[in-house]
Amino acid sequence: MTDTSSTIYPRVVIAGVSSGAGKTTLSLAIMAAMTRRGLVVQGFKVGPDFIDPGYYHTVTGRYGRNLDTWMVGKEAVASCLINSAKSADISVIEGVMGMFDGKADNAAGSTAEVSKVIGSPVVLVIDCARMGESAGAIAFGYKHLDPGVNLQGFIMNNVGSDRHEAMVRHAIEQATDLPVVGAIRRNTSIRIPERHLGLVTRQEIMPPQHYVDTLADMGERGIDIDAILSIARGAGDLAPAQSANYKNRTAGDHVKIGIALDKAFSFYYHDNFDRLRESGADLVFFSPLSDPHLPEDIDGLYLGGGYPEVYAQELAANQTMASEIRCAVEDGMPVYAECGGLIYLSSAIENFDGRTHSMCGALLVDYKMQQRPTLGYREATMLTDSVVTVPGEVVRGHEFHYSKIARVGEQLSAAYRLDNGAEEGFIYKNTLASYIHLHFAGNPQIAGRFVSACRLS
């Protein structure tokens, strides 16, 4: 295992020429093959995605983490990498969208930017279906667009035959003088099911062992794992001095925070859990779907995102849980809720099929599912005091949902003002509920404030 005092963290970014190029499947195959060899593998995802990191846990046994320079800043991204990479043998970082695609019309938050911030070599996945010599032009362009990106090789995906593989390999290597380190044949047997927010989560389908074995077989058969390891081990130093120290311990006894975690609520940045623990919190996980009661003696609640609309009928049926959460909010317990948690705190949600299901009723607001998504990065200014922020403070986060407000009660105050002038989220007593997901590494005060609020409640 890697020496935790070392500044050498073997790491490699698996980028793609576009969304849908096969990054997720191939990253999982590489992680699975390396784990089968006995290596401790840490998976990372560039950007705000929650679902892909869940699958990293399936194949490596370690929770996936996120690296997002727009949301948390460059120093914090380096800190997040080191925090998890120091106890692993190798880090495999899956990119987002196309390698140079970032926020709006610039490369902020892109895979290319993150790779430079963390000083990582890059292997680029090219979807070679319906393509021959043109793959060489694509590879050439990606190599030369930004010389600051340390591109070290290519993986050819969706190769159709031996002849096709030989043609495309020659085109890429001749155009770039870089090696092709993998060639994957077309395979539909290990695709992950999808729904309106993307892939179905690991918590919902719990892939069996043969799924992991198939991924590992794919990695060993179609990818030169030794070459990937060599590339990763060639990454330079990433000194801890480059990263910020986000430990923010607060004085006093530990507090106990209940965290909703099940098939309906699984969208969390696991670095947030680290920040809460470092600030003095003991975390207790519970299921709003199946547990009849809240955990005993909790001082606060954290309700993350997920698919409450998919499990609305089951959530509505668990009336004791809904009642206890409603009472906790009314009694002034500190509650922080994001997206799915926001919907769960509401009075009701009308689903895609037109059926309405009761939720907790802690917030007098109704939601309705719609066909078009709302998604994107958000910069928001806090309008009032809350359990995690102070008035005037600016936070950065991300939202992605298919629901919208259908009705809102008068007793709710807006939480944020977005950079476009719109108001977002709600404050009610000691509850902050919003569509926006925050990565706590972006503001080292957030976790400490929440823990302090729980301690004082």
Side-chain angles (χ1 to χ4, degrees):
M1 182 178 291
T2 301
D3 180 357
T4 56
S5 65
S6 173
T7 61
I8 302 295
Y9 306 97
R11 56 200 183 274
V12 61
V13 170
I14 308 300
V17 297
S18 66
S19 296
K23 297 185 300 295
T24 300
T25 299
L26 297 188
S27 295
L28 288 170
I30 291 168
M31 293 181 205
M34 290 179 176
T35 301
R36 177 187 280 177
R37 293 186 177 194
L39 296 172
V40 178
V41 182
Q42 177 61 57
F44 292 91
K45 173 68 178 181
V46 175
D49 183 86
F50 294 104
I51 299 177
D52 291 350
Y55 284 92
Y56 305 164
H57 182 268
T58 298
V59 300
T60 69
R62 292 169 64 94
Y63 288 107
R65 306 297 179 118
N66 295 75
L67 302 175
D68 193 309
T69 49
W70 190 88
M71 248 198 319
V72 309
K74 296 179 181 180
E75 268 198 344
V77 158
S79 176
C80 289
L81 178 91
I82 291 170
N83 186 54
S84 297
K86 63 188 179 184
S87 59
D89 296 313
I90 186 169
S91 296
V92 178
I93 302 114
E94 181 193 349
V96 61
M97 300 185 291
M99 186 162 70
F100 297 102
D101 300 327
K103 184 180 184 294
D105 57 353
N106 60 55
S110 69
T111 304
E113 182 181 73
V114 170
S115 75
K116 291 186 287 186
V117 168
I118 63 173
S120 176
V122 178
V123 172
L124 183 68
V125 177
I126 300 177
D127 184 349
C128 297
R130 299 177 298 278
M131 186 184 302
E133 294 288 338
S134 296
I138 292 172
F140 180 87
Y142 273 83
K143 178 184 178 182
H144 292 284
L145 182 63
D146 183 353
V149 174
N150 183 17
L151 186 59
Q152 288 291 305
F154 301 88
I155 297 175
M156 305 181 299
N157 194 25
N158 286 322
V159 173
S161 65
D162 290 344
R163 180 175 177 276
H164 185 209
E165 177 183 336
M167 180 197 330
V168 177
R169 182 186 296 271
H170 178 264
I172 291 173
E173 293 183 340
Q174 185 178 53
T176 63
D177 290 324
L178 292 174
V180 170
V181 295
I184 302 296
R185 296 298 170 94
R186 294 167 191 161
N187 187 339
T188 61
S189 64
I190 57 172
R191 287 183 179 172
I192 303 169
E194 297 188 32
R195 65 154 66 94
H196 55 281
L197 290 184
L199 302 177
V200 175
T201 65
R202 176 191 70 89
Q203 287 81 0
E204 294 175 276
I205 61 175
M206 295 302 292
Q209 184 59 42
H210 73 75
Y211 173 84
V212 179
D213 291 339
T214 301
L215 283 168
D217 291 342
M218 171 188 282
E220 290 286 7
R221 188 169 54 244
I223 299 172
D224 188 341
I225 299 298
D226 290 326
I228 299 288
L229 287 168
S230 178
I231 290 170
R233 289 166 178 161
D237 289 5
L238 187 62
Q242 287 181 244
S243 62
N245 180 4
Y246 285 99
K247 289 189 177 181
N248 186 29
R249 298 190 183 276
T250 50
D253 296 333
H254 277 229
V255 300
K256 187 186 293 186
I257 298 176
I259 298 180
L261 185 65
D262 58 19
K263 292 188 293 185
F265 302 96
S266 61
F267 293 175
Y268 294 94
Y269 298 122
H270 280 267
D271 285 276
N272 289 5
F273 298 159
D274 292 343
R275 301 292 184 249
L276 291 170
R277 291 186 180 105
E278 289 165 0
S279 297
D282 294 324
L283 308 184
V284 182
F285 299 94
F286 71 98
S287 170
L289 278 172
S290 58
D291 291 340
H293 302 287
L294 284 170
E296 293 184 357
D297 302 323
I298 57 172
D299 304 292
L301 280 172
Y302 181 4
L303 307 175
Y307 290 116
E309 67 274 15
V310 174
Y311 299 96
Q313 185 172 343
E314 293 94 322
L315 289 169
N318 193 350
Q319 295 182 19
T320 56
M321 176 64 72
S323 175
E324 290 184 13
I325 290 177
R326 183 170 63 251
C327 289
V329 170
E330 281 298 323
D331 290 344
M333 177 181 287
V335 178
Y336 177 62
E338 295 178 329
C339 202
L342 163 70
I343 292 173
Y344 184 47
L345 291 178
S346 73
S347 298
I349 181 170
E350 181 183 324
N351 236 326
F352 289 114
D353 59 8
R355 297 181 182 179
T356 298
H357 301 277
S358 296
M359 295 285 100
C360 291
L363 304 178
L364 295 183
V365 57
D366 296 339
Y367 286 90
K368 179 178 181 178
M369 300 303 292
Q370 57 184 353
Q371 296 301 317
R372 294 176 61 86
T374 299
L375 75 159
Y377 285 117
R378 300 290 181 258
E379 189 167 78
T381 302
M382 196 67 204
L383 296 176
T384 185
D385 278 312
S386 80
V387 291
V388 298
T389 53
V390 296
E393 189 169 37
V394 177
V395 295
R396 284 183 165 187
H398 187 269
E399 65 174 313
F400 185 16
H401 53 89
Y402 278 77
S403 60
K404 67 176 182 178
I405 295 173
R407 180 191 67 88
V408 61
E410 294 181 357
Q411 94 283 19
L412 300 177
S413 301
Y416 301 114
R417 188 176 307 281
L418 302 181
D419 50 6
N420 65 3
E423 293 183 342
E424 208 284 324
F426 300 110
I427 298 289
Y428 178 67
K429 296 192 174 182
N430 278 333
T431 294
L432 167 59
S434 167
Y435 272 128
I436 299 174
H437 291 274
L438 299 180
H439 193 303
F440 293 177
N443 184 334
Q445 311 267 353
I446 288 176
R449 286 181 187 142
F450 189 52
V451 172
S452 293
C454 293
R455 182 173 289 115
L456 294 172
S457 66

